Amino acid sequence: MKIYLNGDFVAKEDAKISVFDHGLLYGDGVFEGIRLYDGCVFKLDEHLERLEYSAKAILLELPLNREQMKKAVCDTCRINDMQNGYVRLVVTRGPGHLGLTPDGCGPGNVIIIADDIQLYPEELYEKGLKIISVPTRRINSSALPPAIKSLNYLNNILAKIEAKKVGFQEALMLNDKGEIAECTGDNVFIIAKGILYTPPLDAGSLRGITRGAAIDLAAQLELPCREQALTRYDLWTADECFLTGTAAEVIPCVEVDHRQVGDGTPGVMTRRLIDLFRKMVLSDGVHLNEQD
Ligand code: PMP
């Protein structure tokens, strides 16, 4: 496996950066997780735009512009002979002093890893996932806007650990008002009485690329969609529930906090959205053959 590191392709064992990098010392940096389907980098422009916004929000200057970043992502897939997989794009603040200030840090490290992805087993897409709400709350959006996809994921990691400790694969995270924010690495949707709902971004949700795709696909199905604050009760009493994320794609959720969702099997609209999403990923992106 060859890793992209600041313009070079290096063997995995040689892909090393300074221990003084503030990405390591403080989680000071930004990242994206991107999928490659049959040689098509799914929604690459949307991911790169989110990376640019995340960087801007933390006053981090990206060392590469959009076109250079696009080429670097595609080159990394090509050099590793990948047609399907997951791309992790990381930009750190770079090496600096031990203090918090980023003054004197840099240049930032650009790291691109193209690897296989460990998906949930196909069985879960047929049977559905069970999730549980956990004590760790999503960070208040006035403290750290959830739209920033930063290298600091401790909040979500704690929630994941709490869910795993009690036997669940995914945690439902609430905000400090007790409203639904998101899962640890996925956005949440419900369908109730023919309407699709998902929490608004200020509830503590990342502006998920897959979330956006699901909203677009719902419009194709003429399923009205509302971004509105949701409570656990709304999830417990929904007809259908599903999660969206780059790694998870669109995955049905059939149990929330020990309450069965709908009849306990993936809902009809959820299954239609999964079918549409699986078609969409093959066409909506940048094809490796087209990018030079
Ligand atoms: N929320 C969080 C906290 C995430 O890290 C992610 C990405 N894994 C998502 C939601 C889903 O976003 P996307 O669809 O862009 O992967």
Side-chain angles (χ1 to χ4, degrees):
M1 181 197 292
K2 294 275 186 210
I3 312 287
Y4 175 100
L5 183 58
N6 302 320
D8 295 323
F9 287 100
V10 295
K12 186 176 172 182
E13 305 71 43
D14 301 324
K16 294 173 183 162
I17 61 165
S18 166
V19 293
F20 287 92
D21 193 310
H22 279 209
L24 171 70
L25 292 175
Y26 296 118
D28 188 353
V30 293
F31 79 102
E32 280 297 318
I34 307 168
R35 286 291 287 276
L36 174 69
Y37 294 98
D38 280 358
C40 180
V41 190
F42 184 55
K43 294 205 180 275
L44 181 55
D45 269 299
E46 285 84 343
H47 280 284
L48 294 179
E49 181 184 71
R50 188 170 65 184
L51 184 82
E52 289 159 10
Y53 289 163
S54 295
K56 184 166 190 197
I58 67 161
L59 295 104
L60 172 67
E61 202 174 320
L62 293 177
L64 303 181
N65 65 26
R66 174 80 63 95
E67 283 311 306
Q68 291 167 329
M69 207 60 104
K70 228 185 239 184
K71 181 169 171 4
V73 168
C74 293
D75 283 350
T76 310
C77 296
R78 281 190 287 243
I79 209 162
N80 285 290
D81 268 334
M82 294 203 60
Q83 288 292 308
N84 289 282
Y86 177 88
V87 178
R88 175 60 60 90
L89 168 52
V90 180
V91 184
T92 68
R93 184 77 71 180
H97 301 291
L98 289 179
L100 272 177
T101 173
D103 295 351
C105 277
N109 283 301
V110 180
I111 302 160
I112 308 175
I113 306 165
D115 202 356
D116 291 332
I117 175 101
Q118 199 186 349
L119 285 172
Y120 287 124
E122 181 57 29
E123 193 196 1
L124 275 185
Y125 292 84
E126 280 146 28
K127 290 198 177 150
L129 191 65
K130 298 176 179 179
I131 62 174
I132 190 151
S133 50
V134 294
T136 291
R137 297 282 167 121
R138 194 75 179 90
I139 291 174
N140 187 310
S141 58
S142 64
L144 187 66
I148 302 174
K149 201 162 165 58
S150 86
L151 290 181
N152 199 317
Y153 257 57
L154 256 189
N155 181 230
N156 306 53
I157 291 167
L158 293 184
K160 189 88 171 175
I161 292 170
E162 287 162 359
K164 289 233 162 176
K165 289 258 184 221
V166 290
F168 290 81
Q169 280 172 296
E170 186 51 293
L172 180 64
M173 298 182 76
L174 310 179
N175 64 23
D176 55 9
K177 287 190 245 166
E179 298 159 349
I180 307 299
E182 59 182 354
C183 288
T184 64
D186 298 315
N187 292 109
V188 181
F189 286 83
I190 56 168
I191 299 172
K193 299 202 189 309
I195 297 175
L196 180 67
Y197 297 90
T198 194
L201 301 179
D202 63 7
S205 330
L206 182 76
R207 188 192 294 276
I209 306 295
T210 326
R211 174 185 186 272
I215 292 172
D216 291 346
L217 292 174
Q220 276 184 34
L221 291 175
E222 294 182 4
L223 177 63
C225 177
R226 295 190 192 149
E227 291 182 44
Q228 101 180 22
L230 299 173
T231 62
R232 292 199 302 160
Y233 174 84
D234 295 322
L235 267 62
W236 299 340
T237 57
D239 300 318
E240 300 186 28
C241 177
F242 62 88
L243 312 182
T244 62
T246 292
E249 305 178 320
V250 179
I251 186 159
C253 173
V254 293
E255 188 190 287
V256 179
D257 295 337
H258 310 290
R259 280 83 164 175
Q260 180 177 295
V261 177
D263 67 0
T265 64
V268 175
M269 291 312 263
T270 302
R271 281 193 269 118
R272 290 178 69 185
L273 283 167
I274 292 173
D275 286 345
L276 285 179
F277 182 77
R278 288 182 171 175
K279 292 193 181 100
M280 184 188 211
V281 295
L282 299 172
S283 58
D284 195 333
V286 171
H287 205 281
L288 294 180
N289 294 339
E290 290 158 15
Q291 227 289 326
D292 42 41

